[in-house]
Each structure stands twice: as C-alpha cells, then as structure tokens.
Amino acid sequence: MTCNCVDAPVPPLFGVQTLFAAQHTSESCGANGLPLTPNSITILGNAQKLKTLNHPNLVSHLDFIRKQHGRIILVSQYFNRSLWTESKNFSLLIPLEKVLSWTHKVLSALTYLNDNGLVHRFLTPQYILLDEEDNVKLFNYGIYYMTNSGKNITFPIGKLKYTAPEVLVLDRASNKSGPKTDSWSLGIIVLELLLGAQLWPTLKLSQIIRKILSLTHCTDVVMRLAREMGRLTIYQSLPSELKDFLSKCICMDATKRMCPKELYDHKIFSLYEYSKILSNKCYSCKHPLRQMKLNQVYYLWKLAGGDVEWALKKKGLLRNESSILLLPRLIILEGTLYGNTRNQSCLLDLQIIELSLDLLVNRLQHLKITDYDPLIDQIKECDDTTDKLPLVIREKDTEYQFHRIVLFDRLLSSFPFKLDKLITEAKKDIPPYFRGEIWACLLNVCGDTENTYLSIDKETAGVTDRQIEVDIPRCHQYNDLLSSSVAHKKLKRVLKAWLVSHPEYVYWQGLDSLCAPFVYLNFCKEHVAYACLTAFVKKYLNDVFLRDNSAVIREYLIKLFHLIAFHDPQLANHLDDKGFIPDLFAIPWFLTMFSHVFPMHKIFHLWDKLLLGDSSYPLFVGLSILTQLRSTLLNSGFNECILLFSDLPEVDIEKCVLESSKFSDVTPRSITFRKHEFRIETREHDPCLIYEILQNEFSPRISVYDLQELKKSSHKFLVVDSRAQECYIEKSIPGSLNIPVKEEDFADENFDLEPSPELSALVNNRGSVLIVVDNDNELNKVNKFCRFLVKKEYPKVCSLHGGIEVLETFNILVPAILF
C-alpha cells in the first residue's frame, strides 16, 4: 500500500506531441459558397470525443491545442515505460504468461475503442505503455479518428512493418481501416515478444513494403516471418493454441482475420493463469496530487505557469523562421505556389515530450495533506484578500482555484443533496473547470436526460432546417471549437431536438446563439446541452419563441424602461425626450440573453450570475449596461444613440455583473413582475397586467406584498398619498405623506407643488422608494403624478397596484392624525 506525502516527488504525468493538418488547395470556398473550414479546426472538433473515452488500459487525452499554420498539439497521459523498453528492444525472451497478460489487456482496450467507433491504426510496441503497476496503457490511439481516417493530414498513420497489408494497397480516401487492421499489428508485436527478436530491423521502407506484399502468396505467413527473424525453432516450440492465435491475427485475408473482440475470447487466454501474475506494485510515498483527477492536475498545472509551447520549443519541436524565407518564388493565377521550402519544424515528428510538474508542486508546496481530501464542512475558506480580488485574477490564481476545485468536486458528487451549499458557493464565483456541470445543477438538470434526448427525432427534415443551416456557420465562429463541422452538427441536432420537443415554439434567429454556450461546455454531452437549453428557456425566456411573441417581447422592453425610470430618472427623461425607446436596441439582448451581443468568455461570466437570479434578472443586466453607457447617452441625440448601439462599445462584464446584483438587491420584486414569466403561481394582488396597460405608464407598479416587505426591511421608503385631505384623515397608511393633487393640475406644464412641510419631507426623502397611492379609479392621476416626480428626477418612484382599496384587505389603514 502507498501513503500520501506532500514532500514526495511527482514524476511527469503528461506527454506532448505535435502534428500538422493538411492545407487546402487554392480553392477558398466550398459548394455552399462559404469559406472552407481549415483541416486543423476539423481535427480539433473530432478530437473532443477522445476526452470522453475512459478505460483502464487507455491513456487519458487531456487537451488539444490549435496553433498557427495548422499545427495541432496533443496533450495526453504518459508513462516512460513501454513494451519496447521492457523487452530491451526485443533482445530478451519474456515469460509467456506475461505476454498473454499484456495481450489480453491490449485486446480489452481495442475492443472498447471499436465499440466506440474507433480503431487504433498506430499500434506499435512504443505506444503500448506500462504504468508503475505494470498495467497496459495504449497511447496515440486517437490520431486516425481525429484526422478523419487520415484525410486531414499529409503523412501516413502507423509504423510500416506493423501496418496491415490491405492498408498499403487500398485507396485510403475511399477505404477506411477497420478493427482487423489492429489485429494484424498486435499479432506482429506479440510475435516479436514471444520470439525475442525484431522483424526486419535493418530494412529500408521500400524493402519492407516489398516484403509485406510478397506475403500474399505465402501459405503460412507466421512461420515465414519467424524464419526471417531467425527464430523458427522457438516458434515451432510454441503451444498450438498460441500458434492458432497468431494465425488469426497475422492473416493476409482480412475477411478471415479475427477482430479484437473475437481475439479477446480466444481459448489461449483460458488455458494459462496469466491473470494471477503479480503486478509491480509501488510501495513508495506518493504526492497527493496524484490522487486527483488527471485533467484537474493538468488544469492547475497550466494555471501555475505550465506552457506546452515552451516545452516544445525547449526540445526543438517549435522553431521560428523569418517570414521572408517562407515566401514562395512563384504564384500562378490558380493560386498554386512554387519554390517555397517548408519549415522543417512543420514536418511530422513522433517525439513525445514529458511535462514536468515542478511548477505546480512548488506552487502548492505549503498546503497540508488534509487540504487535498477534506470534508465539505472543513474545506478552507478563502481569505478576505483573495476573495476581494477581481474575478479574472481569482480565475488565474492557482491556489484559489485548487481549493475551489476540491470544494466543488465534493459538492457536485453529492448533488442534489448539497444543492443549497452549491448555490451559496456559486454566488461567490464559479470555477471555470466545473462551469458546465455547475450550470446544469443550477438549472436543476437531473434524471435520465440521455434517453430522453435519444428518443427525440433529430433527423427528419423540418421547415426550419434551411434557416438553422444558414445561421449556425455565423454563430460564434471566432471560437475554434464552435467553428468546426462537428460543432455545427451538434448545434443543429440540439436545436432540432428542442424544436421537436416544444411544438408550441418556432425557430427564431438568435436561438443558435442561445444554444452555443451550452453546446460548448457540454461538447460531448449533447443530452446535457439539450436539457440545459430547455430549462434555461423555460425559466428566462418563457413564451418568447412563440410564433407571435410580440406581447412577450414588448412586455420585456416596457419593464426595462420602467426599471430605468425607477433607478435613473435623468436617463429615462433623456431617452423619452429623444424618442429612443428600448425597442430600438434591446430586442437582441433579451431574445438571446446577451449571447448574440457579447463574446463567449463574457457570456460565461454574465451567465454565472444570471443563473443564480430569477427570471427578472436579465432586466437588471440590461440596466447595468445602460449605466455604463450613461454619460455617452446623456450627451447624444437620437442618431448618435442609434450609432452607439449599432457598434456597442466595450462593456466591463465584471462591473456589469456587480451592478446588476446591486440593482436586483434594492428593487422590489413586483417592479419587474411580468405576466408572461414562468412561475408556479400568481398571487391575487400581483401586478399581472397586459402590455397595453403597461405602455401607458411611465413608472412601475409595486404590490402590496412588497410594501409589507419594505416595512419589515431596512430599506427606506415613503408612501405619498395623493388623495384629498378629508379622505386621507378618514383612513390612510401609518407614516404616509399626504400631498393632495388633482388630475387637471398636470395639464399645466408649469405646474409645481406648493411649498409645505409635506414637500420638505418629500425632498428630504429623495432616494427612498416613493410609493404613490390613491383610489383605484384614479389611475390616470397616479400615473401623471408619478411622471411628474420622475421629471423632477426623483428616483425609485412607483405606484401601488390596486390602489388604496387593496390595503383594506390587509388591515393596514388607520385614521390619520394631523399635526
């Protein structure tokens, strides 16, 4: 058994390789008229599936990085032991039981790959790795899949002498390799291990090709290979079952060759007790980092300053040359280049560079062993200095993110039982590493979402397919992953699934932008992306995607203007004077929840906070954006405002998030109450109004429930009673202010309130929530009074929904005492 020790050394756990995608010919556009997607982006999209594979005999793929000139960098789990090093370059005979043990594990991994639609095609002794406990780990198994069966690269995949004969004679563009190609490769490797010799170690490539092709007319291929290796006697002494196994692998006729799944059940593995072979257990101390998930360690390593490119440069795999040396000497009209010599660093190099973890270990060296595996209630709280740092800095702080990852790893594993704790921690910030999973929890995505998604018909052509296909190639295409053809297909499937499962809705432009963040964060879990989109639309965009959504959108826009008038009367007056209404700029905001307006990284930070709020929170986000643009708007006319929003200036998202939270905290809930928002129930006195009524009001309404909450809270408020004095004396709200006015008073543009103690009290309470009340049948007067107060730039002006009569139900009214 091993123990954890923070002082224990940490060997390299990751290996880096690099390859280049093929460049397109002189054609710049495809049949659809759109620019051709670079092969490097196609490779990047395909490669994401490799991250989801999980088998004890496969290394884990951790990252795929796209760089200039079509370079792809692959980061994977790595061990510096392999069958090649264990066999001492095949100069030693290895016990039969051990060879069978390795072989069976390799077949288990190959079967798993085949079941997931992959073949290895690069199986060599160097790429069959061994960990510290002698477990087999297949390496480099994803290149053939991610390059679209080799079509997106210019170099062949595989080592020639281990490559199946049919690969050499069949056209690779039209004939994909199947599982049986790996059976041939494994057979050659096992033969070398059993005989303790290499096959054709000194021959050149052309000679090896001739040797392989000459096997076509051979009756016993394995025996001939053993003879050429000079080990015929050893081969003839092998058990007959083992010879049969080799013959089923090394068979020229691919139709008679067994696939890995069939070989896995071969009788040879039941005849020998290879499974009882003791593995090489490591009893030394291990650093607790090695108990964390590999992708978590890699993420922290990058935060600690780890740089994959720098590691490649140190080993000479990345070299910069002067641009002028790379220019061609001749370019013909068709676009073909002549005379340009390719940079040597752009050629295929199969070196594997190990990444040292010293940077990360040094960064975390002061942590205790208990910090790596604490109980949820004992996880270290962040100190005040770190907690007050800007979000972008906290997201780059290695130690801070370490504690956040450890905490959320526990919380997510106990979902939904620790949902309250998860929400509390998410309000501080959401670690980028777990963003997709945390969003799913906040949207309460649970249950069998995968089978639900699979049961939806996403293939049948629909009336909106053409529009979706037009919109998707324009959706966040600056992002390498979302610009890949794989991402386009995923976006289309998720959108179609949502439309099919919600027949009451139709496709509106912008829905693709709304879907994109969920697909990006759940790239290999379409069912989760679909479930998140469904829950998100239901909560924040209820009824927005109806065929006739005019009432819903107008209500949203009116509520935004009411919110502006409530918090910033000066800006509201200016926009009203210029006729610059929210209809002219805010529709894309709410139709896509700002995902069409901001780039992806800003959407992440914005939605981190949005998902913690209720359905009205987007209104506060819109208000905070206008607040940042306030000085420009106040100094702009109508045309200037139009130009401003046609090319929206840079918006500080962190400031926007903080301000929207502050606005939300000080705004009574009924101010933003919408008739079309999703809610479980509507109370009797909630201001549930149609937009035709709302659009005639400049200030919002507040419900009697929020009035009661204000009385209980520490928020300052003042009730302004505009009824006649005799009515006020008869019954009124305790502590209210009586300023009697008449509707006809507001017909005079020069009307103003007479100086009085009540007016002085009103002025002294500027900044408090001002609630105008009157009889319910005096609605026009109340609206005009509220408009009058907003013109006087009183903030937080609102009217009581239901009038003074609604207060009688709650026994709030009492006779007034005048002084």
Side-chain angles (χ1 to χ4, degrees), residues 20 32 39 87 135-136 190 218 287 296 399 454 482 515 615 627 733 750 771:
F20 280 85
N32 58 0
N39 284 321
S87 60
N135 293 316
V136 166
V190 173
C218 183
H287 196 283
Q296 293 178 0
E399 184 180 348
L454 291 174
L482 289 179
C515 181
S615 58
T627 302
I733 303 171
N750 298 319
I771 306 172

Side-chain angles (χ1 to χ4, degrees), residues 121 240 631 816:
R121 256 299 299 274
S240 58
S631 59

Side-chain angles (χ1 to χ4, degrees), residues 51 119 122 133 231 364 462 672 692 731:
K51 293 181 180 180
V119 295
F122 215 146
E133 298 181 358
R231 295 289 196 275
L364 302 178
T672 56
E692 287 87 354
K731 54 180 180 180

Side-chain angles (χ1 to χ4, degrees), residues 80 136 221 265 297 304 319 351 399 454 467 482 506 537 565 596 623 678 690 749 784 817:
N80 55 18
V136 166
V221 178
D265 297 322
V297 177
R319 295 193 297 271
Q351 287 187 67
E399 184 180 348
L454 291 174
Q467 188 60 52
L482 289 179
V506 297
V537 171
H596 186 70
L623 178 62
F678 174 77
I690 58 176
E749 294 182 358
K784 291 178 180 180
I817 300 176

